Amino acid sequence: MTSQMHSLEDLYSQAILDRSTYRSTTKNKDTFIKYGVMLRKFPNKIELVNCHKGGDYFSPFTKDEVQMFKENGWKKGVLLFLIKTYKRKLNMIEVRIQQEINGRKNDKYIKGLKVKREGILNKYSMRQKQLTKLN
């Protein structure tokens, strides 16, 4: 691959310049959040954090996910991550719809899942368009 690799420091600089990224600064850290992706810069390290995982805590990105950001930069990395997240959520909903159809057959629950699926498909489509504009 001939594209340039971005360091975590590069991603930090790109997040600063991205006007659609939320920024919060405290004495010992700078935090940037965009679409559920958090970049935190401490005096001695920079970390990428996934805010899309369930629960009351955020989890650091895997090495592969960090690599995706390093290969694509801040803006494109955020969009690629979101698209991957939406695909995973859509797959989970499809499985739950199939289980429900083959199990209890609760129409109200199935309709709720289909509404959820429609919402995620709309978000997926919107992010795909943003990605196409970036490319």
Side-chain angles (χ1 to χ4, degrees), residues 104-120:
R104 298 183 312 172
K105 296 178 178 58
N106 180 331
D107 285 343
K108 199 173 178 181
Y109 184 70
I110 293 169
K111 277 185 186 139
L113 287 171
K114 287 181 177 180
V115 166
K116 207 177 219 178
R117 177 178 64 188
E118 187 64 33
I120 293 173

Side-chain angles (χ1 to χ4, degrees), residues 6-102:
H6 304 269
S7 67
L8 288 174
E9 199 64 52
D10 292 338
L11 294 173
Y12 169 71
S13 300
Q14 292 167 17
I16 290 173
L17 297 173
D18 183 359
R19 292 179 40 202
S20 65
T21 297
Y22 169 79
R23 181 179 188 175
S24 167
T25 306
T26 60
K27 198 170 81 169
N28 65 341
K29 82 174 178 235
D30 244 354
T31 304
F32 298 86
I33 302 174
K34 182 170 184 163
Y35 301 137
V37 175
M38 183 188 298
L39 183 145
R40 295 192 287 206
K41 183 179 192 319
F42 298 92
N44 57 346
K45 72 173 180 170
I46 297 174
E47 65 182 13
L48 285 167
V49 182
N50 180 352
C51 302
H52 280 273
K53 293 262 168 85
D56 295 332
Y57 60 92
F58 304 134
S59 55
F61 280 105
T62 65
K63 286 194 182 343
D64 288 343
E65 289 167 336
V66 171
Q67 188 61 29
M68 182 181 65
F69 279 91
K70 287 181 173 184
E71 288 172 8
N72 296 288
W74 173 250
K75 282 184 180 182
K76 191 173 178 183
V78 168
L79 290 175
L80 288 169
F81 169 72
L82 264 183
I83 288 167
K84 183 180 144 196
T85 299
Y86 292 149
K87 283 181 184 175
R88 184 178 53 80
K89 287 181 178 183
L90 286 169
N91 287 336
M92 286 171 22
I93 289 172
E94 287 304 322
V95 166
R96 285 173 35 208
I97 288 173
Q98 283 309 310
Q99 287 172 340
E100 193 61 31
I101 288 172
N102 297 330

